[in-house]
Amino acid sequence: MDPYPGLAADEHPHGLVNVPFDELVPHLRHADRIGLAPAVHAIGDRANERALDAMEAVQPGGWHGRASIEHAQLLRRDDLARFAALGIVASVQPEHAMDDRDVADLYWAGRTDRAFMLRDLAAAGVELALGSDAPVAPLDPWIAIAAAVGRSREGREPWHPEQSIDARIALAASTDGAGARVRPGMVADLAVVGRDPLAASADDLRRMPVALTLLGGRVTHDAL
């Protein structure tokens, strides 16, 4: 909403709109019409607000599926309830908080309590989907989980630890969800790990040893 400090008007002090609202809405209508779950890229608070506006314009009663906003890095507090009411998934990359914390403290000064609001999103009933944005961050779910739980890296003090989430929530947001259970006959993608992720420290999560993986029930890695 607010301009970046120290930037002139011709330096895009509010960031850039790549897809204007009046173009985004028809794109979303088309996706909805043909049964696609849209994913809208939005980082700043104004971008997220307008993305939600567009999604609400298309489906005022909420999206039934997995429509998402990708990144959702800076939010207005009022928009947490809108995410939940519209059924929009917040697809967040927690390791970006570790990558971007210094530049965020500079350009989002006074607003970083609203950055990577994982705990507040979860508390508001918003479905979280954690990812890596690879190759921007490493393609390793345990790194994302560790960043979400510990909000720290390389021994630094945790960055806004009030927005951390516990490992159970982070795992659910990195898999099929808290209610997923493996049953006979299911096609399963599984990982057998060397530590209990619900009891491991954030540092241990970041270095989680993986003993066995299965893709569609087929062994793809075996270190047992």
Side-chain angles (χ1 to χ4, degrees), residues 136-190:
V136 181
L139 184 60
D140 184 337
W142 295 106
I143 288 176
I145 290 169
V149 170
R151 304 282 291 202
S152 184
R153 186 176 70 195
E154 298 167 344
R156 298 185 68 178
E157 287 296 313
W159 190 64
H160 290 289
E162 73 277 6
Q163 290 297 342
S164 67
I165 54 177
D166 66 36
R168 191 177 300 275
I169 295 174
L171 278 169
S174 303
T175 60
D176 283 339
R181 296 289 185 272
V182 179
R183 300 180 181 87
M186 293 178 67
V187 176
D189 299 340
L190 300 174

Side-chain angles (χ1 to χ4, degrees), residues 15-84:
L16 289 170
V17 177
N18 290 320
V19 181
F21 183 84
D22 59 358
E23 293 181 16
L24 178 58
V25 170
H27 287 320
L28 292 175
R29 288 195 194 283
H30 180 65
D32 185 47
R33 191 164 50 248
I34 64 175
L36 291 179
V40 179
H41 182 286
I43 292 177
D45 49 6
R46 177 62 170 164
N48 279 279
E49 179 190 43
R50 292 303 274 161
L52 290 169
D53 289 344
M55 289 180 158
E56 186 172 16
V58 175
Q59 284 284 8
W63 287 77
H64 304 288
R66 287 192 59 82
S68 66
I69 291 182
E70 298 297 320
H71 301 309
Q73 289 184 195
L74 185 70
L75 302 174
R76 301 185 320 138
R77 295 195 182 278
D78 290 346
D79 283 333
L80 298 177
R82 297 181 69 204
F83 264 92

Side-chain angles (χ1 to χ4, degrees), residues 121-142:
L121 282 162
V126 179
E127 182 179 350
L128 289 171
L130 304 186
S132 68
D133 203 25
V136 181
L139 184 60
D140 184 337
W142 295 106

